[in-house]
Amino acid sequence: MLACAVLPVAAPWRSELVGFVVGASLSMINNWLLANSIQKLVAFVLRQGREFGQVLYITGMIVRWFLIFGVLVYIAWTGWCGLLGLLAGYFIPPLLVLARLIHFLLFARVDYS
């Protein structure tokens, strides 16, 4: 996270670098909102509520996707930073985390003694 704060200040003229930092930040915000949505969905299912909670969950999911899409369209429209860097910053960090998780699950050393 510190790198995301320092890189635009260190090299603001590199639009792809700024795009990568913005994309990574947007990805972190999206993952945080997704984790909250999953937590609320699990709590909703365990309580077996059927009325108002489901509407709130669906509305929150739609708002999250419109927010992400709106930020991507705004940045592409204004040309504020490099779109390729933005997309790389949005997709590459979660893929690296997923690859590390798969590696951990496949090659975990389990001591059964």
Side-chain angles (χ1 to χ4, degrees):
M1 190 66 175
L2 180 63
C4 289
V6 171
L7 285 176
V9 176
W13 60 89
R14 298 189 179 249
S15 65
E16 297 301 325
L17 182 62
V18 174
F20 186 84
V21 171
V22 171
S25 301
L26 187 62
S27 177
M28 284 187 267
I29 291 169
N30 179 39
N31 289 335
W32 179 72
L33 290 173
L34 180 63
N36 284 340
S37 296
I38 290 172
Q39 185 179 15
K40 288 177 186 174
L41 178 67
V42 168
F44 172 73
V45 168
L46 291 177
R47 281 185 270 133
Q48 297 179 350
R50 296 279 181 231
E51 55 281 338
F52 191 62
Q54 189 173 8
V55 174
L56 286 178
Y57 171 73
I58 292 172
T59 305
M61 187 173 58
I62 291 170
V63 167
R64 180 174 61 92
W65 280 109
F66 273 124
L67 178 71
I68 292 167
F69 184 71
V71 168
L72 291 174
V73 167
Y74 174 76
I75 290 174
W77 187 270
T78 60
W80 183 66
C81 62
L83 189 59
L84 185 62
L86 178 79
L87 293 175
Y90 186 78
F91 288 112
I92 289 176
L95 290 177
L96 291 175
V97 169
L98 182 63
R100 179 65 179 142
L101 178 65
I102 290 171
H103 180 265
F104 176 74
L105 291 175
L106 290 178
F107 301 107
R109 296 177 189 247
V110 179
D111 187 18
Y112 291 109
S113 57

Short mmCIF file of all heavy atoms in Angstrom, two decimals, residues 41-92:
data_model
loop_
_atom_site.label_atom_id
_atom_site.label_comp_id
_atom_site.label_asym_id
_atom_site.label_seq_id
_atom_site.Cartn_x
_atom_site.Cartn_y
_atom_site.Cartn_z
N LEU A 41 -24.01 -11.70 2.97
CA LEU A 41 -24.81 -12.75 2.35
C LEU A 41 -24.83 -14.00 3.22
O LEU A 41 -25.89 -14.61 3.41
CB LEU A 41 -24.27 -13.08 0.96
CG LEU A 41 -24.99 -14.21 0.23
CD1 LEU A 41 -26.42 -13.79 -0.10
CD2 LEU A 41 -24.24 -14.59 -1.02
N VAL A 42 -23.70 -14.38 3.78
CA VAL A 42 -23.64 -15.55 4.65
C VAL A 42 -24.49 -15.32 5.90
O VAL A 42 -25.23 -16.20 6.32
CB VAL A 42 -22.18 -15.89 5.00
CG1 VAL A 42 -22.11 -16.92 6.12
CG2 VAL A 42 -21.45 -16.39 3.77
N ALA A 43 -24.39 -14.14 6.48
CA ALA A 43 -25.20 -13.82 7.66
C ALA A 43 -26.69 -13.85 7.31
O ALA A 43 -27.51 -14.34 8.09
CB ALA A 43 -24.81 -12.47 8.22
N PHE A 44 -27.02 -13.38 6.11
CA PHE A 44 -28.42 -13.37 5.67
C PHE A 44 -28.95 -14.80 5.50
O PHE A 44 -30.05 -15.12 5.93
CB PHE A 44 -28.53 -12.60 4.36
CG PHE A 44 -29.88 -12.68 3.71
CD1 PHE A 44 -30.96 -12.00 4.23
CD2 PHE A 44 -30.06 -13.45 2.58
CE1 PHE A 44 -32.20 -12.09 3.64
CE2 PHE A 44 -31.29 -13.54 1.97
CZ PHE A 44 -32.36 -12.86 2.50
N VAL A 45 -28.13 -15.66 4.90
CA VAL A 45 -28.56 -17.04 4.67
C VAL A 45 -28.68 -17.79 5.99
O VAL A 45 -29.62 -18.57 6.19
CB VAL A 45 -27.56 -17.76 3.72
CG1 VAL A 45 -27.80 -19.25 3.70
CG2 VAL A 45 -27.68 -17.18 2.33
N LEU A 46 -27.75 -17.56 6.91
CA LEU A 46 -27.82 -18.25 8.20
C LEU A 46 -29.04 -17.83 9.01
O LEU A 46 -29.59 -18.63 9.76
CB LEU A 46 -26.54 -18.02 8.99
CG LEU A 46 -25.30 -18.70 8.43
CD1 LEU A 46 -24.08 -18.34 9.27
CD2 LEU A 46 -25.48 -20.20 8.35
N ARG A 47 -29.45 -16.58 8.87
CA ARG A 47 -30.66 -16.12 9.56
C ARG A 47 -31.92 -16.53 8.82
O ARG A 47 -33.01 -16.39 9.33
CB ARG A 47 -30.65 -14.60 9.73
CG ARG A 47 -29.77 -14.16 10.87
CD ARG A 47 -29.88 -12.68 11.10
NE ARG A 47 -28.84 -12.05 10.26
CZ ARG A 47 -29.02 -11.02 9.48
NH1 ARG A 47 -30.18 -10.42 9.42
NH2 ARG A 47 -28.05 -10.54 8.75
N GLN A 48 -31.74 -16.99 7.60
CA GLN A 48 -32.83 -17.43 6.73
C GLN A 48 -33.89 -16.36 6.54
O GLN A 48 -35.08 -16.64 6.53
CB GLN A 48 -33.46 -18.72 7.27
CG GLN A 48 -32.49 -19.87 7.27
CD GLN A 48 -33.08 -21.14 7.82
OE1 GLN A 48 -34.17 -21.13 8.38
NE2 GLN A 48 -32.36 -22.22 7.68
N GLY A 49 -33.43 -15.13 6.38
CA GLY A 49 -34.34 -14.04 6.08
C GLY A 49 -34.70 -14.07 4.60
O GLY A 49 -33.90 -14.47 3.76
N ARG A 50 -35.88 -13.65 4.27
CA ARG A 50 -36.30 -13.74 2.88
C ARG A 50 -36.80 -12.42 2.30
O ARG A 50 -37.05 -12.34 1.13
CB ARG A 50 -37.44 -14.76 2.74
CG ARG A 50 -37.03 -16.14 3.09
CD ARG A 50 -36.32 -16.80 1.94
NE ARG A 50 -35.96 -18.14 2.28
CZ ARG A 50 -34.77 -18.65 2.14
NH1 ARG A 50 -33.80 -17.91 1.67
NH2 ARG A 50 -34.51 -19.87 2.48
N GLU A 51 -36.93 -11.41 3.10
CA GLU A 51 -37.59 -10.23 2.59
C GLU A 51 -36.63 -9.10 2.24
O GLU A 51 -36.13 -9.03 1.13
CB GLU A 51 -38.70 -9.77 3.53
CG GLU A 51 -38.31 -9.51 4.97
CD GLU A 51 -38.17 -10.76 5.82
OE1 GLU A 51 -38.73 -11.81 5.52
OE2 GLU A 51 -37.45 -10.66 6.81
N PHE A 52 -36.32 -8.24 3.15
CA PHE A 52 -35.61 -7.00 2.85
C PHE A 52 -34.11 -7.19 2.66
O PHE A 52 -33.49 -6.48 1.88
CB PHE A 52 -35.87 -5.98 3.96
CG PHE A 52 -35.41 -4.60 3.64
CD1 PHE A 52 -35.94 -3.92 2.57
CD2 PHE A 52 -34.43 -4.00 4.39
CE1 PHE A 52 -35.52 -2.64 2.26
CE2 PHE A 52 -34.00 -2.73 4.09
CZ PHE A 52 -34.55 -2.05 3.03
N GLY A 53 -33.50 -8.16 3.31
CA GLY A 53 -32.06 -8.36 3.22
C GLY A 53 -31.59 -8.73 1.82
O GLY A 53 -30.53 -8.32 1.38
N GLN A 54 -32.39 -9.51 1.12
CA GLN A 54 -32.02 -9.92 -0.23
C GLN A 54 -32.01 -8.72 -1.17
O GLN A 54 -31.15 -8.61 -2.02
CB GLN A 54 -32.98 -10.99 -0.72
CG GLN A 54 -32.55 -11.62 -2.02
CD GLN A 54 -33.43 -12.79 -2.39
OE1 GLN A 54 -34.44 -13.05 -1.77
NE2 GLN A 54 -33.04 -13.50 -3.43
N VAL A 55 -32.95 -7.83 -1.02
CA VAL A 55 -32.99 -6.62 -1.83
C VAL A 55 -31.77 -5.76 -1.58
O VAL A 55 -31.16 -5.23 -2.51
CB VAL A 55 -34.30 -5.83 -1.57
CG1 VAL A 55 -34.30 -4.51 -2.28
CG2 VAL A 55 -35.51 -6.66 -1.94
N LEU A 56 -31.37 -5.62 -0.31
CA LEU A 56 -30.18 -4.84 0.02
C LEU A 56 -28.92 -5.47 -0.56
O LEU A 56 -28.05 -4.76 -1.06
CB LEU A 56 -30.04 -4.70 1.53
CG LEU A 56 -31.00 -3.74 2.22
CD1 LEU A 56 -30.76 -3.75 3.72
CD2 LEU A 56 -30.86 -2.35 1.66
N TYR A 57 -28.81 -6.80 -0.52
CA TYR A 57 -27.64 -7.47 -1.06
C TYR A 57 -27.54 -7.25 -2.56
O TYR A 57 -26.48 -6.90 -3.09
CB TYR A 57 -27.67 -8.96 -0.75
CG TYR A 57 -26.59 -9.70 -1.46
CD1 TYR A 57 -25.26 -9.58 -1.07
CD2 TYR A 57 -26.87 -10.49 -2.57
CE1 TYR A 57 -24.25 -10.24 -1.74
CE2 TYR A 57 -25.87 -11.15 -3.24
CZ TYR A 57 -24.56 -11.02 -2.83
OH TYR A 57 -23.57 -11.66 -3.51
N ILE A 58 -28.62 -7.43 -3.26
CA ILE A 58 -28.62 -7.27 -4.73
C ILE A 58 -28.34 -5.81 -5.09
O ILE A 58 -27.57 -5.52 -6.01
CB ILE A 58 -29.94 -7.77 -5.32
CG1 ILE A 58 -30.02 -9.29 -5.16
CG2 ILE A 58 -30.07 -7.38 -6.78
CD1 ILE A 58 -31.35 -9.88 -5.53
N THR A 59 -28.92 -4.87 -4.36
CA THR A 59 -28.67 -3.45 -4.62
C THR A 59 -27.22 -3.10 -4.38
O THR A 59 -26.60 -2.39 -5.17
CB THR A 59 -29.58 -2.60 -3.73
OG1 THR A 59 -30.93 -2.99 -3.93
CG2 THR A 59 -29.42 -1.13 -4.04
N GLY A 60 -26.63 -3.61 -3.31
CA GLY A 60 -25.22 -3.34 -3.02
C GLY A 60 -24.31 -3.90 -4.10
O GLY A 60 -23.31 -3.27 -4.49
N MET A 61 -24.62 -5.07 -4.62
CA MET A 61 -23.82 -5.68 -5.68
C MET A 61 -23.90 -4.84 -6.95
O MET A 61 -22.89 -4.59 -7.61
CB MET A 61 -24.31 -7.10 -5.94
CG MET A 61 -23.45 -7.88 -6.89
SD MET A 61 -23.96 -9.61 -7.02
CE MET A 61 -25.65 -9.46 -7.54
N ILE A 62 -25.07 -4.38 -7.29
CA ILE A 62 -25.26 -3.56 -8.49
C ILE A 62 -24.54 -2.23 -8.34
O ILE A 62 -23.86 -1.77 -9.27
CB ILE A 62 -26.76 -3.37 -8.78
CG1 ILE A 62 -27.37 -4.69 -9.21
CG2 ILE A 62 -26.98 -2.31 -9.84
CD1 ILE A 62 -28.88 -4.68 -9.29
N VAL A 63 -24.65 -1.62 -7.18
CA VAL A 63 -23.97 -0.34 -6.94
C VAL A 63 -22.46 -0.51 -7.02
O VAL A 63 -21.76 0.34 -7.60
CB VAL A 63 -24.39 0.25 -5.57
CG1 VAL A 63 -23.48 1.38 -5.15
CG2 VAL A 63 -25.82 0.70 -5.62
N ARG A 64 -21.92 -1.61 -6.50
CA ARG A 64 -20.48 -1.86 -6.56
C ARG A 64 -20.01 -1.97 -8.01
O ARG A 64 -19.01 -1.36 -8.39
CB ARG A 64 -20.15 -3.15 -5.80
CG ARG A 64 -18.68 -3.49 -5.80
CD ARG A 64 -18.41 -4.69 -4.91
NE ARG A 64 -19.09 -5.89 -5.31
CZ ARG A 64 -18.56 -6.80 -6.13
NH1 ARG A 64 -17.36 -6.65 -6.61
NH2 ARG A 64 -19.25 -7.87 -6.44
N TRP A 65 -20.73 -2.70 -8.84
CA TRP A 65 -20.32 -2.84 -10.24
C TRP A 65 -20.47 -1.54 -11.02
O TRP A 65 -19.63 -1.21 -11.87
CB TRP A 65 -21.08 -3.97 -10.92
CG TRP A 65 -20.48 -5.29 -10.56
CD1 TRP A 65 -21.01 -6.24 -9.75
CD2 TRP A 65 -19.20 -5.78 -10.95
NE1 TRP A 65 -20.15 -7.29 -9.63
CE2 TRP A 65 -19.03 -7.05 -10.37
CE3 TRP A 65 -18.17 -5.29 -11.75
CZ2 TRP A 65 -17.88 -7.80 -10.55
CZ3 TRP A 65 -17.03 -6.05 -11.93
CH2 TRP A 65 -16.91 -7.29 -11.34
N PHE A 66 -21.53 -0.77 -10.76
CA PHE A 66 -21.68 0.52 -11.42
C PHE A 66 -20.58 1.49 -10.99
O PHE A 66 -20.09 2.28 -11.80
CB PHE A 66 -23.05 1.14 -11.14
CG PHE A 66 -24.11 0.69 -12.11
CD1 PHE A 66 -25.27 0.11 -11.64
CD2 PHE A 66 -23.94 0.85 -13.48
CE1 PHE A 66 -26.24 -0.32 -12.53
CE2 PHE A 66 -24.90 0.44 -14.36
CZ PHE A 66 -26.06 -0.16 -13.90
N LEU A 67 -20.17 1.43 -9.74
CA LEU A 67 -19.09 2.29 -9.26
C LEU A 67 -17.78 1.96 -9.97
O LEU A 67 -17.09 2.85 -10.46
CB LEU A 67 -18.94 2.13 -7.74
CG LEU A 67 -17.82 2.91 -7.08
CD1 LEU A 67 -18.17 4.39 -7.08
CD2 LEU A 67 -17.60 2.42 -5.68
N ILE A 68 -17.45 0.69 -10.06
CA ILE A 68 -16.21 0.28 -10.73
C ILE A 68 -16.27 0.64 -12.21
O ILE A 68 -15.32 1.20 -12.77
CB ILE A 68 -15.98 -1.22 -10.54
CG1 ILE A 68 -15.68 -1.51 -9.08
CG2 ILE A 68 -14.86 -1.73 -11.43
CD1 ILE A 68 -15.75 -2.96 -8.73
N PHE A 69 -17.37 0.33 -12.85
CA PHE A 69 -17.51 0.64 -14.27
C PHE A 69 -17.46 2.15 -14.51
O PHE A 69 -16.84 2.62 -15.46
CB PHE A 69 -18.82 0.06 -14.81
CG PHE A 69 -19.00 0.24 -16.28
CD1 PHE A 69 -18.23 -0.47 -17.18
CD2 PHE A 69 -19.95 1.13 -16.77
CE1 PHE A 69 -18.39 -0.31 -18.54
CE2 PHE A 69 -20.11 1.30 -18.12
CZ PHE A 69 -19.33 0.58 -19.01
N GLY A 70 -18.08 2.92 -13.62
CA GLY A 70 -18.06 4.37 -13.76
C GLY A 70 -16.67 4.96 -13.63
O GLY A 70 -16.29 5.85 -14.39
N VAL A 71 -15.88 4.44 -12.69
CA VAL A 71 -14.50 4.92 -12.54
C VAL A 71 -13.68 4.57 -13.77
O VAL A 71 -12.92 5.40 -14.30
CB VAL A 71 -13.86 4.35 -11.26
CG1 VAL A 71 -12.37 4.60 -11.23
CG2 VAL A 71 -14.52 4.94 -10.04
N LEU A 72 -13.82 3.35 -14.28
CA LEU A 72 -13.08 2.95 -15.48
C LEU A 72 -13.47 3.79 -16.69
O LEU A 72 -12.61 4.23 -17.46
CB LEU A 72 -13.31 1.47 -15.77
CG LEU A 72 -12.67 0.49 -14.79
CD1 LEU A 72 -13.09 -0.93 -15.13
CD2 LEU A 72 -11.18 0.62 -14.77
N VAL A 73 -14.75 4.05 -16.88
CA VAL A 73 -15.20 4.88 -18.01
C VAL A 73 -14.71 6.31 -17.85
O VAL A 73 -14.26 6.93 -18.82
CB VAL A 73 -16.73 4.81 -18.14
CG1 VAL A 73 -17.26 5.88 -19.07
CG2 VAL A 73 -17.15 3.43 -18.62
N TYR A 74 -14.77 6.85 -16.64
CA TYR A 74 -14.31 8.22 -16.41
C TYR A 74 -12.83 8.36 -16.73
O TYR A 74 -12.42 9.32 -17.38
CB TYR A 74 -14.59 8.63 -14.96
CG TYR A 74 -14.02 9.97 -14.61
CD1 TYR A 74 -14.64 11.14 -15.05
CD2 TYR A 74 -12.86 10.09 -13.86
CE1 TYR A 74 -14.11 12.38 -14.75
CE2 TYR A 74 -12.33 11.32 -13.55
CZ TYR A 74 -12.96 12.47 -14.00
OH TYR A 74 -12.43 13.70 -13.70
N ILE A 75 -12.04 7.43 -16.28
CA ILE A 75 -10.60 7.51 -16.52
C ILE A 75 -10.30 7.32 -18.00
O ILE A 75 -9.44 8.01 -18.56
CB ILE A 75 -9.85 6.49 -15.65
CG1 ILE A 75 -9.92 6.96 -14.19
CG2 ILE A 75 -8.41 6.32 -16.09
CD1 ILE A 75 -9.35 6.00 -13.20
N ALA A 76 -11.01 6.41 -18.66
CA ALA A 76 -10.79 6.22 -20.10
C ALA A 76 -11.24 7.46 -20.88
O ALA A 76 -10.61 7.84 -21.87
CB ALA A 76 -11.55 4.99 -20.58
N TRP A 77 -12.31 8.08 -20.45
CA TRP A 77 -12.85 9.25 -21.14
C TRP A 77 -11.93 10.46 -21.01
O TRP A 77 -11.70 11.19 -21.96
CB TRP A 77 -14.23 9.57 -20.59
CG TRP A 77 -14.95 10.65 -21.34
CD1 TRP A 77 -14.89 11.98 -21.09
CD2 TRP A 77 -15.81 10.47 -22.45
NE1 TRP A 77 -15.68 12.65 -21.97
CE2 TRP A 77 -16.25 11.74 -22.83
CE3 TRP A 77 -16.27 9.36 -23.15
CZ2 TRP A 77 -17.12 11.94 -23.89
CZ3 TRP A 77 -17.13 9.57 -24.20
CH2 TRP A 77 -17.54 10.84 -24.56
N THR A 78 -11.43 10.68 -19.81
CA THR A 78 -10.60 11.86 -19.57
C THR A 78 -9.14 11.65 -19.95
O THR A 78 -8.42 12.63 -20.14
CB THR A 78 -10.67 12.29 -18.10
OG1 THR A 78 -10.19 11.22 -17.28
CG2 THR A 78 -12.08 12.67 -17.69
N GLY A 79 -8.70 10.41 -20.03
CA GLY A 79 -7.31 10.14 -20.33
C GLY A 79 -6.38 10.55 -19.21
O GLY A 79 -5.23 10.90 -19.42
N TRP A 80 -6.88 10.51 -17.99
CA TRP A 80 -6.14 10.95 -16.82
C TRP A 80 -4.90 10.10 -16.57
O TRP A 80 -3.89 10.58 -16.10
CB TRP A 80 -7.07 10.94 -15.62
CG TRP A 80 -6.46 11.43 -14.37
CD1 TRP A 80 -6.04 12.69 -14.11
CD2 TRP A 80 -6.18 10.67 -13.20
NE1 TRP A 80 -5.53 12.78 -12.84
CE2 TRP A 80 -5.61 11.54 -12.27
CE3 TRP A 80 -6.38 9.34 -12.85
CZ2 TRP A 80 -5.23 11.12 -11.00
CZ3 TRP A 80 -6.01 8.93 -11.61
CH2 TRP A 80 -5.43 9.83 -10.70
N CYS A 81 -5.00 8.81 -16.89
CA CYS A 81 -3.86 7.92 -16.75
C CYS A 81 -3.96 6.85 -17.83
O CYS A 81 -4.96 6.75 -18.53
CB CYS A 81 -3.80 7.30 -15.36
SG CYS A 81 -5.21 6.31 -14.94
N GLY A 82 -2.93 6.06 -17.95
CA GLY A 82 -2.89 5.04 -18.99
C GLY A 82 -3.90 3.93 -18.73
O GLY A 82 -3.94 3.34 -17.65
N LEU A 83 -4.73 3.65 -19.72
CA LEU A 83 -5.78 2.65 -19.57
C LEU A 83 -5.18 1.25 -19.45
O LEU A 83 -5.68 0.43 -18.68
CB LEU A 83 -6.75 2.71 -20.75
CG LEU A 83 -8.01 1.88 -20.63
CD1 LEU A 83 -8.80 2.29 -19.41
CD2 LEU A 83 -8.85 2.02 -21.87
N LEU A 84 -4.12 0.97 -20.17
CA LEU A 84 -3.47 -0.33 -20.08
C LEU A 84 -2.89 -0.55 -18.67
O LEU A 84 -3.03 -1.63 -18.09
CB LEU A 84 -2.37 -0.46 -21.13
CG LEU A 84 -1.70 -1.81 -21.23
CD1 LEU A 84 -2.71 -2.87 -21.62
CD2 LEU A 84 -0.58 -1.75 -22.25
N GLY A 85 -2.27 0.46 -18.12
CA GLY A 85 -1.76 0.37 -16.75
C GLY A 85 -2.88 0.21 -15.74
O GLY A 85 -2.75 -0.53 -14.76
N LEU A 86 -4.00 0.89 -15.99
CA LEU A 86 -5.16 0.78 -15.10
C LEU A 86 -5.70 -0.64 -15.08
O LEU A 86 -5.94 -1.22 -14.02
CB LEU A 86 -6.25 1.76 -15.54
CG LEU A 86 -7.54 1.72 -14.73
CD1 LEU A 86 -7.34 2.48 -13.44
CD2 LEU A 86 -8.66 2.30 -15.53
N LEU A 87 -5.86 -1.22 -16.26
CA LEU A 87 -6.38 -2.59 -16.32
C LEU A 87 -5.39 -3.59 -15.75
O LEU A 87 -5.78 -4.55 -15.09
CB LEU A 87 -6.74 -2.94 -17.76
CG LEU A 87 -7.92 -2.16 -18.34
CD1 LEU A 87 -8.12 -2.50 -19.80
CD2 LEU A 87 -9.18 -2.41 -17.55
N ALA A 88 -4.10 -3.37 -15.98
CA ALA A 88 -3.08 -4.25 -15.40
C ALA A 88 -3.10 -4.15 -13.88
O ALA A 88 -3.03 -5.17 -13.18
CB ALA A 88 -1.71 -3.89 -15.94
N GLY A 89 -3.22 -2.96 -13.36
CA GLY A 89 -3.29 -2.77 -11.91
C GLY A 89 -4.54 -3.36 -11.30
O GLY A 89 -4.55 -3.79 -10.16
N TYR A 90 -5.62 -3.39 -12.07
CA TYR A 90 -6.88 -3.93 -11.56
C TYR A 90 -6.87 -5.46 -11.53
O TYR A 90 -7.39 -6.07 -10.60
CB TYR A 90 -8.06 -3.42 -12.40
CG TYR A 90 -9.39 -3.83 -11.85
CD1 TYR A 90 -9.94 -3.17 -10.77
CD2 TYR A 90 -10.10 -4.88 -12.39
CE1 TYR A 90 -11.16 -3.55 -10.24
CE2 TYR A 90 -11.32 -5.27 -11.89
CZ TYR A 90 -11.84 -4.59 -10.81
OH TYR A 90 -13.04 -4.98 -10.29
N PHE A 91 -6.28 -6.09 -12.56
CA PHE A 91 -6.37 -7.53 -12.67
C PHE A 91 -5.16 -8.30 -12.18
O PHE A 91 -5.29 -9.44 -11.73
CB PHE A 91 -6.65 -7.93 -14.13
CG PHE A 91 -8.04 -7.59 -14.57
CD1 PHE A 91 -8.26 -6.60 -15.51
CD2 PHE A 91 -9.12 -8.24 -14.03
CE1 PHE A 91 -9.53 -6.28 -15.91
CE2 PHE A 91 -10.41 -7.92 -14.42
CZ PHE A 91 -10.61 -6.94 -15.37
N ILE A 92 -3.97 -7.76 -12.25
CA ILE A 92 -2.77 -8.53 -11.92
C ILE A 92 -2.63 -8.81 -10.43
O ILE A 92 -2.35 -9.96 -10.05
CB ILE A 92 -1.52 -7.87 -12.52
CG1 ILE A 92 -1.55 -8.04 -14.04
CG2 ILE A 92 -0.25 -8.45 -11.94
CD1 ILE A 92 -0.43 -7.37 -14.77
#
